[in-house]
Amino acid sequence: MAFDSQYYNVGYLDRLSYQDTFVHRLDPRTKLITTLLFLFTVISFSKYEVAALFPFLLFPAIFLTVGEIPPGFILKKVLLVSPFAIFIGIFNPLLDHGQVAILPGLTLPAGWLSFASILLKFFLTVSMALLLIATTSFPTICHALRRLGLPSIFVSQLLFLYRYIFVLGEEVMRIVRARDMRSYGRKGTEIKVFVRIAGVLFLRTVERAERIYFAMLARGYEGDMPVSKKYHLTTSDLAFALSVIVCLFIFRCYPVTQIIGNFFRGIFS
Amino acid sequence: MSHHIVEFKDVCFRYPDGTEALHNLSFRIIHGESVGIIGANGSGKSTLLLHMNGYLMPTGGTVNIGDLHLTRKTRREIRKKVGIVFQNPDDQLFMPTVYDDVAFGPQNLGMDEEDVQKRVRAALDLVNCYDLINKPPHHLSNGQKSAVAIAAVMAMEPDILAMDEPAANLDPKSRRLLINLLKTFEHSKIIASHDLDLIFDVCKRCIIIREGTVAADGPSQDILTNKILLEENNLELPLSLQRR
């Protein structure tokens, strides 16, 4: 059943984020900020840059291994959204007929190069964002955002979204199952049925929202979500942030691939 | 101690769509009493509980909690005194982790972080769920959810505890644990339920509601053994009293 498996997939990503490893234990603020820095650095490269992007693969690789995240799971998720990136870049080889010299004596068609650059940037940014979510539980990301100054109203929206997406998901699952059981081999997926299910879900959600609001009032809610101050920056956070920033800086400003290449060429010649 | 008294005097309530849910309902519960509220489906049990801390306001008659007369002005005070545990723990546990949820009430009372942590710890210890402190509610079983929902209310240190079907959705062992837990609370307790054995175990007094008014009020020992009275109200003898 398509809905069931999708639902459990989200649940799996969520479960991963509650593991206990070095990456999971880092302060959510450091992870959030370093990930954002990483994204901006990757995006800042020119559209024909490919070689300089390869060193950045180190970051997802480290997050994967230290955070004990199964690589297959992340790869599958990246592939799932890849059509977007492919369609953005697919016409470059057809439209851009220029030639770019990457090494003396070696030129490549500019179109293909920019296509590869787009794909690589896409892979780096999406896998890193996924890894952030897989290594940081959603509530802690929300707390980080709140501590970084995002208005409380947005943060509470996110928190409620996270809390009730699973409740709602289970409700949908029950309804979909009930429909399948009584559609006797017919698909039962006509638009009419779908509209009714959506209507029922909406009404149930409104009623639930009312009960939740009452539960909040009953415990003294007065319009402002309390902020907890459970997280403290430790030295390992600072060390982590510092090393990431230094690495990003080096990868951005120096042609690391070329240096390594020259180094090995020096050894073998 | 007069301040833990719950008093309903000729309370009437009509929903905006015209359904009359409560009609001249009166009772008085004194400090430390545990009272079971029973009755058929739709007899008004849940509506009654929603009056206990001012979510619904009576359209006639008065509700007094302790020395406070329930009005729109006093209901904030009253909510601190009366803790309500809802039937569906998913409605009650609205924060993303167990800690945040149990801490929600104390934080709203304006306590500082250290006291909040103490309260959370005490409340979770009370229901034997301290290990769950960092879990998100959707990773808990129904029994754990119910226990945490009770802890969340207990963290407010209410004088009066009101519960709507506390044992619904619980497996027999969780239900038994809940019953034992409830027996240890010294609060005034008001429990609305169809689980007559639970009421028989936990509550000394029992009130039957029929069509929004009190049909019978007395010791559980008398009421829950009165087969005719129970059957008139769509109920039956508690299973433990039925001979086969």
Side-chain angles (χ1 to χ4, degrees):
Chain A
M1 186 57 238
F3 183 82
D4 284 27
S5 52
Q6 281 311 313
Y7 174 71
Y8 286 120
N9 238 324
V10 177
Y12 182 62
L13 186 62
D14 180 55
R15 261 177 206 280
L16 283 178
S17 70
Y18 285 92
Q19 286 176 320
D20 190 27
T21 69
F22 174 74
V23 187
H24 286 86
R25 275 193 299 269
L26 285 171
D27 186 286
R29 281 170 291 177
T30 25
K31 273 185 279 186
L32 193 66
I33 290 173
T34 48
T35 309
L36 285 177
L37 277 177
F38 176 85
L39 299 187
F40 282 120
T41 321
V42 167
I43 295 167
S44 73
F45 279 99
S46 79
K47 68 172 182 172
Y48 295 128
E49 198 56 75
V50 175
L53 287 171
F54 278 103
F56 285 91
L57 288 170
L58 193 65
F59 290 94
I62 289 177
F63 261 65
L64 269 177
T65 39
V66 182
E68 291 169 20
I69 307 294
F73 179 72
I74 298 290
L75 277 179
K76 232 188 269 169
K77 290 268 164 254
V78 175
L79 279 182
L80 203 70
V81 278
S82 61
F84 291 104
I86 292 174
F87 277 113
I88 288 172
I90 193 72
F91 294 111
N92 285 9
L94 303 175
L95 300 175
D96 194 345
H97 290 294
Q99 298 281 317
V100 181
I102 34 171
L103 287 172
L106 177 62
T107 55
L108 285 176
W112 284 106
L113 209 57
S114 63
F115 182 43
S117 176
I118 286 176
L119 285 188
L120 205 55
K121 282 177 187 166
F122 156 79
F123 178 78
L124 284 169
T125 47
V126 172
S127 62
M128 210 49 202
L130 279 170
L131 282 168
L132 173 73
I133 299 175
T135 56
T136 319
S137 68
F138 198 82
T140 51
I141 294 184
C142 291
H143 283 305
L145 288 170
R146 180 83 187 89
R147 295 289 297 277
L148 291 172
L150 195 74
S152 130
I153 182 109
F154 292 122
V155 177
S156 25
Q157 290 299 319
L158 284 176
L159 287 174
F160 280 119
L161 173 77
Y162 172 74
R163 173 67 184 90
Y164 284 104
I165 194 101
F166 295 98
V167 176
L168 189 67
E170 246 151 56
E171 199 139 1
V172 173
M173 201 156 74
R174 282 195 294 269
I175 294 181
V176 168
R177 275 181 192 157
R179 180 198 67 186
D180 290 351
M181 280 176 207
R182 282 185 289 157
S183 38
Y184 307 112
R186 290 173 55 208
K187 278 264 197 240
T189 42
E190 305 97 38
I191 194 84
K192 229 167 80 188
V193 181
F194 174 77
V195 168
R196 283 194 192 157
I197 288 179
V200 169
L201 262 180
F202 176 72
L203 288 180
R204 285 195 193 177
T205 313
V206 170
E207 280 168 11
R208 185 186 289 280
E210 217 169 33
R211 293 195 299 269
I212 294 165
Y213 180 59
F214 176 45
M216 292 171 71
L217 285 181
R219 284 194 276 148
Y221 178 72
E222 279 163 24
D224 204 21
M225 292 298 259
V227 198
S228 84
K229 301 177 187 66
K230 273 189 300 182
Y231 305 99
H232 303 285
L233 288 173
T234 59
T235 42
S236 63
D237 287 315
L238 294 176
F240 173 78
L242 203 66
S243 46
V244 169
I245 289 169
V246 169
C247 282
L248 285 176
F249 182 77
I250 293 173
F251 290 172
R252 180 69 186 93
C253 299
Y254 298 96
V256 180
T257 330
Q258 210 176 328
I259 294 171
I260 298 175
N262 286 341
F263 174 71
F264 280 108
R265 212 182 294 157
I267 292 178
F268 292 121
S269 62
Chain B
M1 299 224 292
S2 68
H3 56 280
H4 294 177
I5 283 177
V6 177
E7 190 172 34
F8 277 57
K9 248 188 235 160
D10 301 323
V11 171
C12 297
F13 181 77
R14 195 185 280 279
Y15 279 102
D17 65 0
T19 326
E20 193 175 40
L22 300 181
H23 179 71
N24 284 339
L25 181 110
S26 306
F27 62 83
R28 181 183 161 91
I29 293 167
I30 57 167
H31 174 69
E33 234 182 343
S34 49
V35 179
I37 309 266
I38 57 178
N41 287 332
S43 58
K45 300 188 299 290
S46 296
T47 311
L48 185 159
L49 284 190
L50 291 178
H51 278 80
M52 297 251 329
N53 73 7
Y55 182 64
L56 298 176
M57 304 296 275
T59 40
T62 57
V63 176
N64 291 314
I65 309 288
D67 324 319
L68 290 171
H69 176 64
L70 176 66
T71 63
R72 285 185 193 281
K73 276 183 193 154
T74 56
R75 62 180 172 181
R76 186 169 294 168
E77 277 306 303
I78 284 176
R79 281 175 185 157
K80 287 182 196 164
K81 289 171 181 285
V82 185
I84 297 194
V85 180
F86 294 93
Q87 179 171 355
N88 184 347
D90 269 328
D91 296 342
Q92 178 130 20
L93 303 176
F94 46 78
M95 293 296 275
T97 67
V98 168
Y99 175 89
D100 287 336
D101 201 87
V102 181
F104 185 85
Q107 279 169 337
N108 276 325
L109 293 178
M111 298 169 67
D112 62 46
E113 198 66 18
E114 211 171 300
D115 291 336
V116 170
Q117 282 181 13
K118 270 186 212 151
R119 281 258 185 125
V120 172
R121 166 149 213 155
L124 285 173
D125 275 338
L126 192 72
V127 295
N128 292 321
C129 285
Y130 190 72
D131 301 338
L132 306 175
I133 189 157
N134 285 319
K135 290 222 174 181
H138 57 272
H139 290 176
L140 305 181
S141 72
N142 267 328
Q144 291 170 327
K145 277 186 200 168
S146 299
V148 172
I150 292 172
V153 168
M154 297 304 284
M156 302 278 287
E157 298 190 347
D159 302 326
I160 297 153
L161 194 61
M163 310 179 105
D164 195 354
E165 286 292 358
N169 305 324
L170 294 188
D171 59 40
K173 188 180 173 194
S174 312
R175 174 177 166 276
R176 181 53 56 192
L177 288 174
L178 178 77
I179 290 174
N180 292 340
L181 183 68
L182 289 176
K183 280 185 187 168
T184 63
F185 293 165
E186 284 166 6
H187 304 73
S188 306
K189 291 187 283 282
I190 296 162
I191 302 174
S193 182
H194 289 307
D195 185 341
L196 301 182
D197 290 274
L198 177 139
I199 303 272
F200 197 54
D201 269 7
V202 178
C203 303
K204 292 218 173 62
R205 179 176 159 201
C206 203
I207 297 176
I208 299 185
I209 308 274
R210 190 195 315 163
E211 287 163 11
T213 193
V214 175
D217 181 354
S220 299
Q221 198 64 337
D222 300 346
I223 287 188
L224 292 177
T225 49
N226 186 337
K227 197 172 171 197
I228 297 164
L229 176 66
L230 288 171
E231 278 169 6
E232 274 172 7
N233 288 286
N234 281 16
L235 303 165
E236 59 175 16
L237 283 177
L239 294 174
S240 52
L241 300 181
Q242 288 181 15
R243 289 218 193 97
R244 286 174 194 274

